[in-house]
Protein backbone atom coordinates (compact mmCIF):
# COMPACT_ATOMS: atom_id res chain seq x y z
CA UNK A 1 0.00 0.00 0.00
CA UNK A 2 1.02 3.61 -0.60
CA UNK A 3 0.81 4.92 2.97
CA UNK A 4 1.60 8.52 2.12
CA UNK A 5 -0.72 8.97 -0.86
CA UNK A 6 -4.01 7.48 0.36
CA UNK A 7 -5.92 9.31 -2.40
CA UNK A 8 -4.25 7.15 -5.09
CA UNK A 9 -5.22 3.59 -6.01
CA UNK A 10 -4.04 1.31 -3.19
CA UNK A 11 -4.87 -2.15 -4.48
CA UNK A 12 -4.21 -4.51 -7.35
CA UNK A 13 -6.55 -5.92 -9.97
CA UNK A 14 -5.15 -9.35 -9.10
CA UNK A 15 -6.42 -9.19 -5.54
CA UNK A 16 -9.24 -11.40 -4.28
CA UNK A 17 -12.05 -10.24 -1.99
CA UNK A 18 -11.11 -6.59 -2.45
CA UNK A 19 -12.86 -3.31 -3.19
CA UNK A 20 -11.80 0.30 -3.64
CA UNK A 21 -14.03 3.28 -4.28
CA UNK A 22 -13.96 7.08 -4.30
CA UNK A 23 -16.88 9.20 -3.11
CA UNK A 24 -17.20 12.49 -5.04
CA UNK A 25 -19.96 14.77 -3.71
CA UNK A 26 -20.94 18.10 -5.27
CA UNK A 27 -23.59 20.45 -3.83
CA UNK A 28 -24.90 23.82 -5.00
CA UNK A 29 -26.89 26.03 -2.65
CA UNK A 30 -28.42 28.22 -5.37
CA UNK A 31 -29.92 25.36 -7.40
CA UNK A 32 -30.40 23.03 -4.44
CA UNK A 33 -28.79 20.25 -6.46
CA UNK A 34 -26.59 17.58 -4.90
CA UNK A 35 -24.98 14.75 -6.80
CA UNK A 36 -22.62 12.06 -5.55
CA UNK A 37 -20.53 9.93 -7.91
CA UNK A 38 -18.80 6.76 -6.66
CA UNK A 39 -16.38 5.10 -9.10
CA UNK A 40 -14.61 1.96 -7.98
CA UNK A 41 -13.78 -1.72 -8.39
CA UNK A 42 -15.19 -4.91 -6.90
CA UNK A 43 -13.00 -8.04 -6.86
CA UNK A 44 -14.85 -11.15 -5.67
CA UNK A 45 -17.21 -13.74 -7.09
CA UNK A 46 -18.54 -11.08 -9.48
CA UNK A 47 -15.52 -8.94 -10.31
CA UNK A 48 -16.14 -5.68 -12.18
CA UNK A 49 -15.63 -1.94 -12.09
CA UNK A 50 -18.57 0.32 -11.31
CA UNK A 51 -19.96 3.83 -11.06
CA UNK A 52 -22.70 4.59 -8.54
CA UNK A 53 -24.75 7.79 -8.69
CA UNK A 54 -27.10 9.38 -6.17
CA UNK A 55 -29.33 12.44 -6.56
CA UNK A 56 -29.66 14.29 -3.25
CA UNK A 57 -33.06 15.85 -3.91
CA UNK A 58 -34.95 13.04 -5.63
CA UNK A 59 -33.02 10.17 -3.93
CA UNK A 60 -32.64 8.55 -7.34
CA UNK A 61 -29.68 6.17 -7.58
CA UNK A 62 -27.94 4.33 -10.39
CA UNK A 63 -25.35 1.56 -10.69
CA UNK A 64 -23.33 1.25 -13.89
CA UNK A 65 -21.14 -1.82 -14.40
CA UNK A 66 -17.87 -1.76 -16.38
CA UNK A 67 -15.40 -4.49 -17.34
CA UNK A 68 -12.31 -4.50 -15.13
CA UNK A 69 -10.06 -3.74 -18.09
CA UNK A 70 -11.80 -0.36 -18.49
CA UNK A 71 -10.45 0.73 -15.08
CA UNK A 72 -7.16 2.62 -15.33
CA UNK A 73 -5.35 4.30 -12.46
CA UNK A 74 -2.40 6.38 -11.29
CA UNK A 75 -0.27 5.19 -8.38
CA UNK A 76 0.85 8.71 -7.45
CA UNK A 77 -2.45 10.61 -7.25
CA UNK A 78 -6.22 10.32 -7.53
CA UNK A 79 -6.58 10.02 -11.28
CA UNK A 80 -8.71 7.15 -12.57
CA UNK A 81 -10.59 6.25 -15.74
CA UNK A 82 -13.70 4.13 -16.27
CA UNK A 83 -14.24 3.66 -19.98
CA UNK A 84 -15.01 7.13 -21.37
CA UNK A 85 -15.23 8.70 -17.90
CA UNK A 86 -12.42 10.26 -15.87
CA UNK A 87 -12.19 11.29 -12.21
CA UNK A 88 -9.42 13.25 -10.48
CA UNK A 89 -8.77 16.04 -7.99
CA UNK A 90 -9.03 18.40 -10.96
CA UNK A 91 -12.56 17.37 -11.90
CA UNK A 92 -14.86 14.86 -13.55
CA UNK A 93 -15.59 14.14 -17.22
CA UNK A 94 -18.60 11.93 -18.03
CA UNK A 95 -19.57 10.54 -21.42
CA UNK A 96 -21.72 7.46 -20.89
CA UNK A 97 -24.61 6.56 -23.22
CA UNK A 98 -26.44 3.29 -22.69
CA UNK A 99 -29.84 1.96 -23.58
CA UNK A 100 -30.97 2.23 -19.97
CA UNK A 101 -29.22 5.46 -18.96
CA UNK A 102 -27.26 8.48 -20.12
CA UNK A 103 -24.70 10.42 -18.08
CA UNK A 104 -22.76 13.30 -19.61
CA UNK A 105 -21.04 16.49 -18.52
CA UNK A 106 -18.05 18.01 -16.79
CA UNK A 107 -17.14 19.32 -13.35
CA UNK A 108 -14.04 21.41 -12.70
CA UNK A 109 -12.52 21.52 -9.19
CA UNK A 110 -10.24 24.23 -7.77
CA UNK A 111 -8.90 25.21 -4.36
CA UNK A 112 -8.69 21.59 -3.23
CA UNK A 113 -8.03 21.18 0.52
CA UNK A 114 -6.02 17.95 1.04
CA UNK A 115 -5.96 16.13 4.34
CA UNK A 116 -2.59 16.27 6.17
CA UNK A 117 -0.31 13.25 5.77
CA UNK A 118 2.67 12.75 8.08
CA UNK A 119 4.75 9.68 9.03
CA UNK A 120 3.09 9.57 12.45
CA UNK A 121 -0.40 10.13 11.08
CA UNK A 122 -0.67 9.23 7.39
CA UNK A 123 -4.17 10.56 6.81
CA UNK A 124 -7.53 10.58 8.56
CA UNK A 125 -6.97 7.16 10.22
CA UNK A 126 -3.87 8.28 12.07
CA UNK A 127 -1.53 5.46 13.13
CA UNK A 128 -4.31 2.88 12.58
CA UNK A 129 -3.52 3.32 8.89
CA UNK A 130 -0.47 1.12 9.45
CA UNK A 131 -2.49 -1.82 10.82
CA UNK A 132 -2.18 -4.60 8.18
CA UNK A 133 -5.27 -6.60 9.14
CA UNK A 134 -8.18 -4.14 8.99
CA UNK A 135 -11.15 -5.05 6.81
CA UNK A 136 -11.61 -1.44 5.64
CA UNK A 137 -9.43 1.66 5.31
CA UNK A 138 -10.60 5.26 4.91
CA UNK A 139 -9.04 8.32 3.29
CA UNK A 140 -9.98 11.95 2.71
CA UNK A 141 -8.90 13.22 -0.70
CA UNK A 142 -10.33 16.76 -0.52
CA UNK A 143 -12.07 18.17 2.55
CA UNK A 144 -13.45 21.01 0.44
CA UNK A 145 -13.09 22.60 -2.97
CA UNK A 146 -14.91 24.85 -5.40
CA UNK A 147 -16.83 23.06 -8.15
CA UNK A 148 -18.14 24.44 -11.44
CA UNK A 149 -19.85 22.62 -14.26
CA UNK A 150 -22.92 20.90 -15.61
CA UNK A 151 -24.03 17.26 -15.68
CA UNK A 152 -26.99 15.73 -17.45
CA UNK A 153 -28.31 12.43 -16.10
CA UNK A 154 -31.21 10.85 -17.99
CA UNK A 155 -32.42 14.23 -19.19
CA UNK A 156 -32.16 15.98 -15.80
CA UNK A 157 -29.74 18.92 -15.67
CA UNK A 158 -27.51 19.39 -12.62
CA UNK A 159 -26.16 22.93 -12.79
CA UNK A 160 -23.24 23.46 -10.42
CA UNK A 161 -22.25 27.12 -10.38
CA UNK A 162 -20.36 28.35 -7.31
CA UNK A 163 -20.79 24.87 -5.81
CA UNK A 164 -18.75 23.09 -3.15
CA UNK A 165 -17.23 19.64 -3.45
CA UNK A 166 -15.83 16.89 -1.25
CA UNK A 167 -13.91 13.66 -2.02
CA UNK A 168 -13.15 10.68 0.21
CA UNK A 169 -12.51 6.98 -0.34
CA UNK A 170 -12.62 3.48 1.16
CA UNK A 171 -10.73 0.31 0.32
CA UNK A 172 -10.21 -3.14 1.72
CA UNK A 173 -12.28 -6.33 1.98
CA UNK A 174 -15.64 -5.29 3.47
CA UNK A 175 -17.37 -2.26 4.89
CA UNK A 176 -17.97 -2.49 8.67
CA UNK A 177 -20.88 -4.49 10.07
CA UNK A 178 -22.43 -1.25 11.35
CA UNK A 179 -21.58 2.41 10.90
CA UNK A 180 -22.74 6.02 10.98
CA UNK A 181 -21.20 8.42 8.48
CA UNK A 182 -21.93 12.10 8.14
CA UNK A 183 -20.53 14.91 6.00
CA UNK A 184 -21.45 18.52 5.21
CA UNK A 185 -19.54 21.41 3.64
CA UNK A 186 -22.31 23.80 2.63
CA UNK A 187 -22.12 26.25 5.54
CA UNK A 188 -22.46 30.08 5.64
CA UNK A 189 -18.69 30.31 6.22
CA UNK A 190 -17.17 29.17 2.94
CA UNK A 191 -14.45 26.53 3.06
CA UNK A 192 -15.98 24.88 6.12
CA UNK A 193 -16.26 21.09 6.09
CA UNK A 194 -17.30 18.52 8.69
CA UNK A 195 -16.99 14.73 8.59
CA UNK A 196 -17.70 12.04 11.18
CA UNK A 197 -17.48 8.26 10.88
CA UNK A 198 -18.29 5.78 13.67
CA UNK A 199 -17.98 2.07 12.95
CA UNK A 200 -17.89 -1.36 14.53
CA UNK A 201 -14.87 -3.23 13.22
CA UNK A 202 -12.98 -6.49 13.91
CA UNK A 203 -9.94 -5.91 16.12
CA UNK A 204 -7.52 -8.65 17.28
CA UNK A 205 -10.13 -11.38 17.55
CA UNK A 206 -12.94 -9.21 18.89
CA UNK A 207 -14.87 -6.15 17.80
CA UNK A 208 -14.42 -2.54 18.74
CA UNK A 209 -16.13 0.74 17.97
CA UNK A 210 -13.87 3.36 16.48
CA UNK A 211 -14.49 6.87 15.24
CA UNK A 212 -12.68 9.54 13.25
CA UNK A 213 -13.43 12.90 11.72
CA UNK A 214 -12.76 16.62 11.59
CA UNK A 215 -14.15 20.12 11.42
CA UNK A 216 -12.22 22.22 8.92
CA UNK A 217 -12.88 25.96 9.07
CA UNK A 218 -10.89 29.17 8.65
CA UNK A 219 -7.94 27.21 7.29
CA UNK A 220 -7.55 24.89 10.28
CA UNK A 221 -8.36 21.22 10.93
CA UNK A 222 -9.95 20.40 14.28
CA UNK A 223 -9.46 16.62 14.40
CA UNK A 224 -10.97 13.94 16.57
CA UNK A 225 -10.75 10.16 16.60
CA UNK A 226 -10.25 7.03 18.64
CA UNK A 227 -6.47 7.39 18.24
CA UNK A 228 -6.76 10.94 19.66
CA UNK A 229 -8.71 9.64 22.69
CA UNK A 230 -11.85 11.64 21.94
CA UNK A 231 -15.34 10.39 22.79
CA UNK A 232 -18.65 10.41 20.91
CA UNK A 233 -21.79 10.50 23.05
CA UNK A 234 -25.28 9.93 21.68
CA UNK A 235 -27.59 12.60 23.08
CA UNK A 236 -30.72 12.08 20.98
CA UNK A 237 -31.89 9.64 18.32
CA UNK A 238 -35.48 9.55 17.18
CA UNK A 239 -37.41 9.60 13.92
CA UNK A 240 -36.46 13.20 13.17
CA UNK A 241 -33.13 14.05 14.79
CA UNK A 242 -29.75 12.62 15.67
CA UNK A 243 -27.76 14.65 18.21
CA UNK A 244 -24.18 13.79 19.21
CA UNK A 245 -21.54 15.29 21.47
CA UNK A 246 -17.90 14.87 20.50
CA UNK A 247 -15.48 15.48 23.37
CA UNK A 248 -11.92 16.06 22.21
CA UNK A 249 -8.82 17.22 24.07
CA UNK A 250 -9.06 20.91 23.18
CA UNK A 251 -12.70 21.32 22.20
CA UNK A 252 -16.18 19.84 22.27
CA UNK A 253 -18.45 19.67 19.26
CA UNK A 254 -22.24 19.38 19.35
CA UNK A 255 -23.66 17.82 16.17
CA UNK A 256 -27.34 17.87 15.26
CA UNK A 257 -28.51 16.19 12.05
CA UNK A 258 -32.10 16.35 10.86
CA UNK A 259 -33.19 13.02 9.41
CA UNK A 260 -34.99 14.14 6.26
CA UNK A 261 -36.58 11.51 4.02
CA UNK A 262 -35.36 7.97 3.61
CA UNK A 263 -32.49 8.47 1.19
CA UNK A 264 -31.57 6.31 -1.79
CA UNK A 265 -30.21 2.79 -2.19
CA UNK A 266 -26.48 2.27 -2.67
CA UNK A 267 -24.48 -0.95 -2.96
CA UNK A 268 -21.72 -1.66 -0.44
CA UNK A 269 -18.98 -4.33 -0.44
CA UNK A 270 -18.89 -7.55 1.53
CA UNK A 271 -15.87 -9.82 0.93
CA UNK A 272 -15.14 -7.72 -2.15
CA UNK A 273 -18.55 -8.18 -3.78
CA UNK A 274 -21.00 -5.30 -4.03
CA UNK A 275 -23.89 -7.32 -2.65
CA UNK A 276 -25.01 -5.28 0.36
CA UNK A 277 -27.67 -2.59 0.07
CA UNK A 278 -27.53 0.50 2.31
CA UNK A 279 -29.41 3.81 2.41
CA UNK A 280 -27.82 7.23 2.08
CA UNK A 281 -29.32 10.66 2.53
CA UNK A 282 -27.67 13.52 0.64
CA UNK A 283 -30.02 16.31 1.79
CA UNK A 284 -29.38 16.34 5.55
CA UNK A 285 -29.28 19.68 7.45
CA UNK A 286 -26.42 19.69 9.98
CA UNK A 287 -25.91 22.13 12.85
CA UNK A 288 -22.56 22.38 14.64
CA UNK A 289 -21.56 24.11 17.88
CA UNK A 290 -17.89 24.01 18.87
CA UNK A 291 -16.76 25.13 22.31
CA UNK A 292 -13.29 25.60 23.73
CA UNK A 293 -11.90 24.06 26.95
CA UNK A 294 -13.53 26.79 29.05
CA UNK A 295 -16.90 26.49 27.36
CA UNK A 296 -16.56 29.53 25.13
CA UNK A 297 -18.44 29.28 21.84
CA UNK A 298 -15.92 29.07 18.98
CA UNK A 299 -18.16 28.08 16.07
CA UNK A 300 -21.91 27.83 15.51
CA UNK A 301 -23.40 27.33 12.05
CA UNK A 302 -26.01 25.28 10.22
CA UNK A 303 -25.20 23.59 6.92
CA UNK A 304 -27.42 22.08 4.26
CA UNK A 305 -27.34 19.20 1.77
CA UNK A 306 -25.23 17.01 4.01
CA UNK A 307 -24.62 13.29 3.53
CA UNK A 308 -25.71 10.73 6.11
CA UNK A 309 -25.51 6.93 6.27
CA UNK A 310 -26.69 4.66 9.07
CA UNK A 311 -25.97 1.02 8.24
CA UNK A 312 -26.40 -2.17 10.22
CA UNK A 313 -27.31 -2.31 13.89
CA UNK A 314 -26.13 1.07 15.18
CA UNK A 315 -27.62 0.61 18.67
CA UNK A 316 -24.29 -0.42 20.23
CA UNK A 317 -21.94 1.94 18.42
CA UNK A 318 -21.55 4.19 21.44
CA UNK A 319 -21.07 1.43 24.03
CA UNK A 320 -18.32 -0.86 22.69
CA UNK A 321 -14.92 -0.47 24.39
CA UNK A 322 -12.00 1.00 22.47
CA UNK A 323 -8.40 -0.20 22.80
Amino acid sequence: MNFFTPSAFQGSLRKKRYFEGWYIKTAALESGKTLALIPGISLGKDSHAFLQIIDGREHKTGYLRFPLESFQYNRKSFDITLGNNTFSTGGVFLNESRKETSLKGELHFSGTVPFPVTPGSPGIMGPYRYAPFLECYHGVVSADHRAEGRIEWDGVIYDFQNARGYIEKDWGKSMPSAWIWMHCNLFPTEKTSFMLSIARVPWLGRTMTGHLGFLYTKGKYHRFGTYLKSRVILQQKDAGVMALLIEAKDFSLEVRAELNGTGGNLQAPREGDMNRTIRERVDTPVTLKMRGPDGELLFKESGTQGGLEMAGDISGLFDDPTP
Side-chain angles (χ1 to χ4, degrees):
M1 292 184 181
N2 186 347
F3 290 109
F4 303 113
T5 314
S7 61
F9 181 57
Q10 299 292 307
S12 164
L13 297 182
R14 294 187 297 273
K15 278 182 173 286
K16 302 296 183 182
R17 299 190 302 163
Y18 181 81
F19 80 95
E20 189 160 351
W22 293 258
Y23 179 89
I24 307 165
K25 177 172 171 275
T26 306
L29 184 61
E30 293 178 6
S31 67
K33 297 286 190 180
T34 307
L35 195 68
L37 304 167
I38 310 171
I41 60 164
S42 167
L43 303 178
K45 296 179 181 178
D46 179 25
S47 297
H48 62 281
F50 63 84
L51 173 61
Q52 297 199 71
I53 318 146
I54 182 167
D55 177 320
R57 176 179 287 178
E58 302 298 330
H59 306 299
K60 174 186 174 183
T61 59
Y63 191 99
L64 304 181
R65 294 173 58 100
F66 295 81
L68 274 181
E69 55 267 25
S70 72
F71 176 78
Q72 300 178 25
Y73 56 89
N74 188 323
R75 284 290 187 190
K76 297 182 179 180
S77 64
F78 170 44
D79 185 1
I80 63 171
T81 298
L82 275 181
N84 296 323
N85 313 286
T86 60
F87 309 86
S88 72
T89 51
V92 170
F93 175 80
L94 303 170
N95 185 20
E96 196 67 28
S97 293
R98 302 186 180 191
K99 183 178 180 180
E100 68 277 13
T101 192
S102 174
L103 185 66
K104 298 190 177 190
E106 296 183 35
L107 293 175
H108 301 278
F109 304 151
S110 61
T112 298
V113 178
F115 197 87
V117 174
T118 66
S121 184
I124 188 67
M125 294 184 67
Y128 284 158
R129 173 67 179 86
Y130 290 116
F133 50 79
L134 296 182
E135 66 176 0
C136 184
Y137 297 84
H138 191 79
V140 174
V141 180
S142 174
D144 180 77
H145 53 262
R146 182 185 179 93
E148 300 280 347
R150 183 176 182 271
I151 290 176
E152 182 176 348
W153 180 24
D154 292 344
V156 177
I157 302 298
Y158 298 82
D159 190 16
F160 294 112
Q161 303 303 319
N162 195 29
R164 307 307 302 179
Y166 172 77
I167 309 173
E168 67 172 40
K169 65 174 299 193
D170 292 285
W171 68 98
K173 182 174 67 174
S174 301
M175 291 293 285
S177 60
W179 75 86
I180 296 170
W181 169 87
M182 192 183 308
H183 171 264
C184 186
N185 67 333
L186 214 56
F187 290 93
T189 298
E190 196 171 86
K191 296 184 179 180
T192 294
S193 182
F194 163 75
M195 189 276 284
L196 165 67
S197 178
I198 314 169
R200 184 182 298 113
V201 297
W203 181 263
L204 298 177
R206 61 186 179 95
T207 61
M208 62 165 276
T209 294
H211 69 274
L212 51 80
F214 63 86
L215 170 62
Y216 176 83
T217 188
K218 297 181 180 178
K220 181 179 179 180
Y221 276 101
H222 303 273
R223 300 171 60 169
F224 49 87
T226 301
Y227 62 94
L228 295 171
K229 302 187 184 305
S230 57
R231 296 199 307 157
V232 182
I233 301 166
L234 178 65
Q235 296 183 312
Q236 179 182 352
K237 171 67 173 67
D238 55 36
V241 171
M242 173 180 284
L244 309 172
L245 175 64
I246 301 168
E247 295 182 338
K249 179 181 178 181
D250 299 320
F251 65 91
S252 65
L253 186 62
E254 299 173 36
V255 181
R256 180 184 174 91
E258 298 180 26
L259 307 181
N260 292 344
T262 58
N265 286 336
L266 292 177
Q267 299 306 115
R270 182 164 41 197
E271 298 292 325
D273 283 307
M274 302 294 287
N275 57 11
R276 182 179 178 187
T277 301
I278 65 167
R279 304 285 292 182
E280 179 178 323
R281 296 173 172 92
V282 200
D283 60 349
T284 301
V286 177
T287 298
L288 304 176
K289 294 181 184 178
M290 184 172 68
R291 300 181 185 275
D294 298 326
E296 70 273 25
L297 187 63
L298 303 178
F299 179 89
K300 179 183 177 181
E301 288 190 7
S302 295
T304 61
Q305 294 161 246
L308 176 64
E309 295 175 0
M310 294 183 288
D313 180 7
I314 67 171
S315 59
L317 284 182
F318 306 94
D319 299 325
D320 289 354
T322 55

